[in-house]
Amino acid sequence: MAATQPGFAISTQNNPSLLLYTLKMAWWGKEIQRPKWEAFTDKRIATQRVEYYQEMQPVGMGGAKGEGAPLPVGTAGEAWKTSYPSVTYGNSIYITMEDLQDNLYKKDWNPRSMGFADAQDVLRYITIFGIFNHAKVNAPISGGAGSQGGDGEPLLSVSHPIAEGNKYANTWATGVALGMQTYTQMIEGIQSFPNYVGWILQYTPRLMGVPIQNAYTAKMLMFSPDDPSTANRSINANFGDYFKDGLFVSSYFRDPASFWGFSSTDHGFAFFRRMDFTIQDLPGTNTLVYGYFGVERFAIGYDSPTCVYGSTQFNT
């Protein structure tokens, strides 16, 4: 369990504005009450078995051109390639003729009344959030296990490479607790993200995601004009300037101490839909067993690790 940041204790009794601003933000829709993975994921359509993303960027900047002199010649840079292989996910239900006839389940037995589609929805969430729950695992994304991006590093790493030979981080070297200091460092980290040739992208923090156990702390940091880590009610310099898309809380973050700041990049998390969830009948056999199966195909991943700055203490 992560250590609590010293002095990080506050209640609505000594900070009544916290309750007011939390209620206001919830009313204004800044806190996403029913968390959806669509809040941080770009939905795309897959047209082939494996989709790819590759960033192209000229290496080198232009310069002043003298009259009659040629323009500076740059080098076409090609970054690493991120692949999105479509994976088939599914489930099936079998039931005997006798059970159907004797109504041992439900009068109108069908896969939806049996929670078949709901189970597939949970599977989809587990798969998508697997990227966060395995964010430090250096393994290819396949069926939600692992989180290696196109640069060969896990999603969260202090060693993301750039072309000039330097590296950048989107996490801390060791596990940290969410507090005013780490919250500020996360904001500064997002604003300092470089592209693969080292140019500062000037992203802004747009959305924050936390597990249930970190929700109260996140609300204090995001929605209170006061600094909750101090006893003298100094101002919260970060209040109102960042995370304009709000906060979402999800039980699918397995690490209770984790927290995630999503950047304003257009090349972040991607969900490629190859085939919608489809339910079909399973043919009966001479054993008089009947059933349904449901399948869908999709790919999940991220174009660039600059899509998020976060912390998790899970290393598996």
Side-chain angles (χ1 to χ4, degrees):
M1 181 178 295
T4 303
Q5 181 173 332
F8 199 88
I10 196 166
S11 69
T12 55
Q13 182 176 1
N14 59 17
N15 187 5
S17 61
L18 169 63
L19 178 60
L20 174 62
Y21 275 87
T22 301
L23 291 175
K24 282 186 177 180
M25 288 300 183
W27 176 260
W28 291 335
K30 290 299 183 182
E31 180 188 352
I32 302 173
Q33 300 293 333
R34 188 173 187 274
K36 289 283 191 178
W37 52 266
E38 291 92 341
F40 59 83
T41 304
D42 180 20
K43 290 173 36 174
R44 309 172 188 173
I45 301 297
T47 59
Q48 53 190 356
R49 187 182 185 92
V50 181
E51 296 287 342
Y52 298 96
Y53 167 78
Q54 187 161 24
E55 182 181 354
M56 298 294 294
Q57 177 71 50
V59 178
M61 301 177 65
K65 173 192 170 302
E67 183 175 354
L71 286 169
V73 179
T75 302
E78 184 175 284
W80 50 84
K81 181 183 292 185
T82 302
S83 60
Y84 293 88
S86 292
V87 179
T88 302
Y89 301 88
N91 201 353
S92 60
I93 298 175
Y94 289 88
I95 189 170
T96 65
M97 181 200 71
E98 290 82 2
D99 286 347
L100 279 172
Q101 197 172 61
D102 297 338
N103 192 25
L104 296 185
Y105 292 91
K106 292 190 176 182
K107 182 177 180 180
D108 297 321
W109 185 84
N110 63 72
R112 295 193 182 278
S113 64
M114 294 291 288
F116 192 62
D118 292 338
Q120 187 70 17
D121 190 50
V122 172
L123 173 63
R124 191 180 306 112
Y125 268 87
I126 292 173
T127 303
I128 293 170
F129 277 83
I131 296 180
F132 303 100
N133 297 327
H134 303 280
K136 291 185 176 181
V137 178
N138 194 4
I141 297 173
S142 176
S147 63
Q148 178 176 299
D151 64 354
E153 288 292 313
L155 172 60
L156 295 186
S157 173
V158 296
S159 300
H160 288 295
I162 55 180
E164 63 183 22
N166 292 327
K167 300 181 184 296
Y168 71 93
N170 64 346
T171 188
W172 291 262
T174 58
V176 296
L178 178 60
M180 181 57 71
Q181 181 178 6
T182 52
Y183 180 69
T184 303
Q185 290 170 346
M186 177 174 61
I187 292 172
E188 293 173 348
I190 292 174
Q191 293 174 323
S192 302
F193 276 152
N195 65 6
Y196 84 103
V197 296
W199 301 351
I200 301 301
L201 296 166
Q202 297 183 337
Y203 290 150
T204 57
R206 71 168 187 87
L207 177 71
M208 188 168 180
V210 295
I212 295 172
Q213 296 86 345
N214 250 346
Y216 184 67
T217 302
K219 291 177 184 178
M220 288 192 292
L221 294 168
M222 296 177 67
F223 304 149
S224 172
D226 302 322
D227 182 352
S229 64
T230 62
N232 59 1
R233 293 188 61 173
S234 61
I235 65 168
N236 178 0
N238 298 317
F239 174 69
D241 292 331
Y242 308 105
F243 300 107
K244 298 294 187 179
D245 288 352
L247 168 71
F248 78 93
V249 181
S250 176
S251 60
Y252 287 97
F253 292 120
R254 289 176 51 227
D255 179 7
S258 66
F259 55 96
W260 310 85
F262 297 86
S263 76
S264 58
T265 179
D266 293 329
H267 304 294
F269 294 94
F271 177 89
F272 280 91
R273 173 76 71 185
R274 186 71 175 108
M275 183 182 75
D276 289 332
F277 181 56
T278 303
I279 299 175
Q280 298 183 29
D281 293 342
L282 283 167
T285 67
N286 59 358
T287 60
L288 298 180
V289 175
Y290 304 90
Y292 291 92
F293 74 89
V295 294
E296 65 179 319
R297 294 182 68 199
F298 62 83
I300 180 69
Y302 52 93
D303 293 343
S304 169
T306 57
C307 60
V308 70
Y309 200 108
S311 174
T312 178
Q313 300 187 43
F314 281 15
N315 295 309
T316 57

